[in-house]
Amino acid sequence: MRVLYFAWLRQRVGVAEETVTPPEGVGTVGALADWLAGRSPGHSAAFANRASIRCAVNQDFATPDTPVRAGDEVAFFPPVTGG
């Protein structure tokens, strides 16, 4: 699974992307975020406030209950505002 981080999430995690193999049972965006948060202090800081994070799976907007599986591209980013 390819995980992409944008903006301040990238800064906190310390990388723009990484390839991960989550353990069995990590089958949703929410479970993936929980698992990623435990990978390092930077990951923990990035995922500390889930309400301020948006996600896309295979370039489609996703919610915490959206399924994820091996081979997916999962992107985490802050909400985008225009004006």
Side-chain angles (χ1 to χ4, degrees):
M1 181 180 303
R2 183 173 172 216
V3 180
L4 309 174
Y5 304 101
F6 293 92
W8 55 263
L9 288 122
R10 178 181 60 231
Q11 293 173 333
R12 292 180 184 163
V13 171
V15 296
E17 67 179 76
E18 61 184 333
T19 301
V20 299
T21 305
E24 189 119 355
V26 175
T28 65
V29 166
L32 177 64
D34 290 341
W35 179 74
L36 289 168
R39 288 178 49 91
S40 76
H43 286 83
S44 179
F47 288 97
N49 183 2
R50 305 282 171 84
S52 66
I53 299 173
R54 300 296 176 262
C55 182
V57 175
N58 299 322
Q59 300 183 4
D60 288 325
F61 282 107
T63 63
D65 60 343
T66 299
V68 293
R69 55 191 65 79
D72 283 347
E73 177 187 86
V74 182
F76 291 101
F77 48 92
V80 178
T81 60

